[in-house]
Amino acid sequence: MVVFDSGSNGYRNFLLPLAYEDDLVQRAVSVVAAFHMAPQRPDLLPVAEKGLSSIIQRLRADAFAGESNKVFSMSTWATVILLLVGETVTGSQDFVHLYPMLTNLLSHNEVLAPELTLVQRRFLLQQSRMYVVHFVSINLELI
């Protein structure tokens, strides 16, 4: 998930171990991998699309359930980042659902994922900023 893989690869050192422990993150990794492999394995495309839809539905249900510990968690933040990575690979139209989720998470930084270590938080913030800056630059080009 990175161009240059090094010892400080947050995807390898943080998100993949998290996926081993967290079902939602695991599903996001699987969906992104299926989208990535779909050009060679077209049979994976419907599976990936169904999985993505299911994850987005769950994130939205969690948001409307009013349980802040589910919404502002490390799991939710990591899942949204992973799905946005997948969007950059596939060019799908689901960016319009995921980007507002990310900006909403970031706007509640004071309660967002208190269980994160400083290194984990920095990694997710860096990845988040990459999408925010990218989206803003795209919109400025359209003006």
Side-chain angles (χ1 to χ4, degrees):
M1 297 185 143
V2 295
V3 176
F4 301 106
D5 192 6
S6 67
S8 61
N9 181 342
Y11 289 95
R12 177 188 312 278
N13 299 330
F14 168 51
L15 292 183
L16 289 179
L18 179 60
Y20 184 75
E21 300 172 7
D22 186 287
D23 178 59
L24 187 61
V25 177
Q26 183 179 79
R27 289 170 52 200
V29 168
S30 297
V31 163
V32 172
F35 274 124
H36 182 72
M37 294 177 60
Q40 291 81 30
R41 295 267 320 270
D43 58 306
L44 291 177
L45 188 57
V47 175
E49 289 173 344
K50 184 176 179 183
L52 177 60
S53 176
S54 173
I55 293 170
I56 291 174
Q57 286 175 0
R58 176 167 167 194
L59 291 172
R60 295 182 87 180
D62 287 350
F64 289 114
E67 296 179 44
S68 64
N69 62 327
K70 282 187 175 183
V71 175
F72 300 108
S73 69
M74 171 174 45
S75 176
T76 299
W77 196 3
T79 298
V80 171
I81 291 294
L82 285 164
L83 294 178
L84 283 167
V85 168
E87 291 299 301
T88 61
V89 171
T90 64
S92 162
Q93 299 301 312
D94 290 307
F95 187 88
V96 297
H97 303 293
L98 295 167
Y99 182 77
M101 288 181 190
L102 178 63
T103 57
N104 190 28
L105 287 170
L106 293 173
S107 71
H108 293 87
N109 192 35
E110 68 281 353
V111 295
L112 181 56
E115 70 275 24
L116 288 170
T117 68
L118 182 60
V119 171
Q120 293 167 337
R121 180 173 294 280
R122 283 182 180 161
F123 171 74
L124 289 176
L125 280 171
Q126 179 219 19
Q127 296 303 302
S128 299
R129 287 183 186 122
M130 181 176 59
Y131 287 102
V132 171
V133 168
H134 178 71
F135 185 72
V136 168
S137 68
I138 288 171
N139 281 332
L140 289 175
E141 289 175 10
L142 296 175
I143 296 176

